[in-house]
C-alpha cells in the first residue's frame, strides 16, 4: 500500500491546473447509457473512481477508452444489466447506473452499496422515486432488482431530502420515461446542472435547470442522440488548493476553475482574512496576515459544501480563537478529527459539531486517511506541521485527487509517495 511522506512546514508558490470534476464526471459517464451514438467527453479526471466506473460500464458491455483526459464511450453494445457487488462496494456512485439501465432496458440488478466511512448513506430516495415512476423494486440477496417492462412513466416526485446522486439518477430515468416528470426539492449542485444542460443540448425538453424544481419530458423509451461535451472543473479540488495556499501562508494561482462554483468557499476564506482574486477561469489566493476563526455549517449547494469541511477544519487549527464547524449532511463525517489531534490540533467534538481552537503548534506524526476529503485535510495539515508526517491509506486520495503529490511538488511542497 502507498503512503505519502510530507515534510513541513512548507511554503508554496506558482500555478496549479485544476482537473475535471469527479462528481460531475461520474453521472455523465452513466448518462452515456442513454445515448445511441458514441460520445467523446473531454476534461475527464483520471482518478480511481472514474476508472472503477468505466470498468463497470465495460462489464455491462460498453466500450470505453480513456486517454489524455478524453473519454470515448459507446454504450450501443451494452448487453448486461447487472452491476455487481465487487464494483459497487468500492464506489457508492455506481448506483448512478440504476436510473439509466432501468429506463433503457426495463430491468436491471444493482448491488446495494452498503454504508461507508462517513455515514449510512441509504438510497431509499432513489428507489422511492423510481417506484413512483412505475418501477417494481425488490431487494434480494443484497441486490436491488428493478423492473419496468412497459417502461417508466412520468410522475410528480417530491424528494424528502435533497440528494445529489438521487436527483441525477431520477433525471436520467425521467429523460427516457413516457410523459412528464416533475421533480421537487432537487439538488442544485453544479454537477447536477451540467447533467441537465447536456440533456437539454441533446434535445430533451427539460426546464428549471439550476432550480430546485425540474420538469422533464421523456422520450418514451427512445435513446438519445447525445452531444459531446467537456466536464466542468472540480470545485472541491479547487477549494482544496485554495486551502493549501491559505494554510501554508502562500500566494498560489489556480487555473481552469469556475470561481462562481466556489462562492461559499471563497466567502469563508475571506472571513478568515485571506484575499481571493478571481479571473474568468483563474483564482489567486493571497494568505491572511493572521488567520481568523470562522464558523461553518455544511449544507447543500449553494451553501458551504460538506466536501470542504475537513480541509477547513485543518485550516481552523491555525487560526486565532475558536471555530465552530457543524456537519449537517453526514452523521459520521468527523473521522479526521482524531487524526488531526494526533498532529496536535485542539478539537472538541459534540455530536455534529466540532470546536476547533486554533494556535496549538502542529507536529508531524503518522496518520491514517479515512475517506477522500479527510485525506486531503491531513495532507494540508501536514504541510504546516513541524517535521515529518506519513499519511497512510492514501488509496482514498487516489479516488478523487488527480496527481495530488505531483501538483503539490510543482508548487514547492516536500511530498513523496512511498510503499509501506
Ligand atoms: C454526493 C457527492 C458527495 C457529497 C454529497 C453531498 C457524488 C458522487 N458524491 O454524494 O461527494 O459529499 O453529494 O454534497 O456526487 N440520503 C438519504 N437517502 C437517499 C439519498 C441520500 O437519506 O436515498 C441522505 C444521505 O445519507 C445524506 C444526504 O441525504 O445524509 C445527502 O446525500 P446525497 O446528496 O445523496 O449524497 P451523495 O449523492 O451520495
Amino acid at each position: 500500500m502507498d503512503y505519502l511522506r510530507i515534510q513541513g512546514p512548507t511554503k508554496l508558490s506558482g500555478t496549479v491546473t485544476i482537473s475535471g470534476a469527479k462528481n460531475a464526471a461520474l453521472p455523465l459517464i452513466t448518462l452515456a447509457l442513454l445515448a445511441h451514438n458514441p460520445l467523446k467527453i473531454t476534461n475527464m479526471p483520471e482518478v480511481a473512481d472514474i476508472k472503477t466506473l468505466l470498468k463497470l460500464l465495460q462489464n455491462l458491455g460498453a466500450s470505453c477508452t480513456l486517454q489524455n483526459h478524453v473519454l470515448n464511450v459507446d454504450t450501443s453494445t451494452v448487453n448486461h444489466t447487472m452491476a455487481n457487488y465487487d464494483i459497487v462496494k468500492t464506489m457508492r456512485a455506481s448506483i448512478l447506473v440504476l436510473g439509466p439501465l432501468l429506463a433503457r432496458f426495463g430491468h436491471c440488478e444493482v448491488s446495494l452499496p452498503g454504508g461507508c466511512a462517513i455515514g449510512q448513506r441509504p438510497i431509499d430516495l432513489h428507489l422511492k422515486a423510481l417506484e413512483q415512476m412505475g418501477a417494481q423494486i425488490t431487494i434480494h440477496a443484497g441486490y436491488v432488482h428493478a423492473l419496468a417492462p412497459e417502461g417508466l412513466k412520468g410522475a410528480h416526485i417530491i424528494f424528502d431530502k435533497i440528494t445529489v446522486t438521487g436527483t441525477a439518477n431520477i433525471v436520467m430515468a425521467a429523460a427516457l420515461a413516457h410523459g412528464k416528470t416533475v421533480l421537487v426539492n432537487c439538488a442544485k449542485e453544479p454537477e447536477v446542472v451540467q447533467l441537465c444542460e447536456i440533456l437539454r443540448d441533446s434535445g430533451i425538453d427539460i426546464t428549471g435547470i439550476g432550480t430546485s424544481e425540474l420538469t422533464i419530458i421523456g422520450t418514451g423509451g427512445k435513446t438519445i442522440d447525445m452531444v459531446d461535451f467537456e466536464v466542468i472543473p472540480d470545485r472541491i479540488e479547487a477549494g482544496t488548493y485554495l486551502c493549501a495556499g491559505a494554510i501554508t501562508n502562500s500566494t498560489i494561482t489556480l487555473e481552469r476553475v469556475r470561481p462562481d462554483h466556489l462562492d461559499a468557499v471563497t466567502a469563508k476564506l475571506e472571513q478568515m482574512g485571506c484575499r481571493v482574486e478571481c479571473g474568468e477561469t483563474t483564482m489567486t489566493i493571497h494568505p491572511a496576515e493572521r488567520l481568523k476563526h470562522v464558523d461553518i455549517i455544511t449544507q447543500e449547494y449553494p451553501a458551504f459544501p460538506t466536501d470542504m469541511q475537513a480541509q477547513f477544519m485543518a485550516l481552523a487549527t491555525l487560526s486565532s480563537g475558536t471555530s465552530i464547524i457543524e456537519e449537517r449532511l453526514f452523521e459520521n463525517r468527523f473521522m479526521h478529527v482524531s487524526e488531526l489531534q494526533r498532529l496536535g490540533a485542539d478539537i472538541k467534538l459534540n455530536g455534529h459539531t466540532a470546536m476547533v481552537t486554533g494556535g496549538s503548534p502542529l507536529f508531524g506524526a503518522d496518520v491514517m486517511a479515512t475517506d477522500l476529503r479527510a485525506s486531503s485535510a491531513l495532507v494540508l495539515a501536514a504541510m504546516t506541521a513541524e517535521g515529518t508526517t506519513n499519511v497512510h491509506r492514501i488509496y482514498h486520495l487516489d479516488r478523487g485527487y488527480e496527481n495530488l503529490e505531483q501538483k503539490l511538488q510543482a508548487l514547492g511542497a516536500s511530498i513523496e509517495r512511498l510503499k509501506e
Side-chain angles (χ1 to χ4, degrees), residues 90-135:
T90 63
M91 193 188 55
R92 299 183 47 80
S94 313
I95 197 65
L96 283 162
V97 298
L98 177 64
L101 281 178
L102 180 61
R104 178 165 153 192
F105 296 100
H107 63 92
C108 65
E109 305 76 38
V110 178
S111 172
L112 277 170
C116 78
I118 63 173
Q120 213 190 348
R121 299 182 83 177
I123 54 158
D124 56 315
L125 302 175
H126 304 231
L127 302 183
K128 193 173 149 203
L130 290 172
E131 279 176 337
Q132 284 181 266
M133 297 176 81

Side-chain angles (χ1 to χ4, degrees), residues 23 121-126 163-165 306-307 329-330 333:
N23 284 357
R121 299 182 83 177
I123 54 158
D124 56 315
L125 302 175
H126 304 231
T163 160
V164 177
T165 47
T306 174
D307 286 354
L329 286 174
F330 293 110
R333 204 167 198 179

Side-chain angles (χ1 to χ4, degrees), residues 377-414:
L378 297 178
V379 172
L380 293 175
M383 286 195 297
T384 103
E386 190 74 44
T388 305
T389 298
N390 297 313
V391 183
H392 301 275
R393 297 207 184 153
I394 54 160
Y395 53 84
H396 290 292
L397 271 178
D398 294 335
R399 286 185 37 216
Y401 285 94
E402 184 168 300
N403 297 333
L404 180 85
E405 71 266 24
Q406 288 91 330
K407 288 187 184 186
L408 285 174
Q409 273 161 6
L411 291 170
S414 167

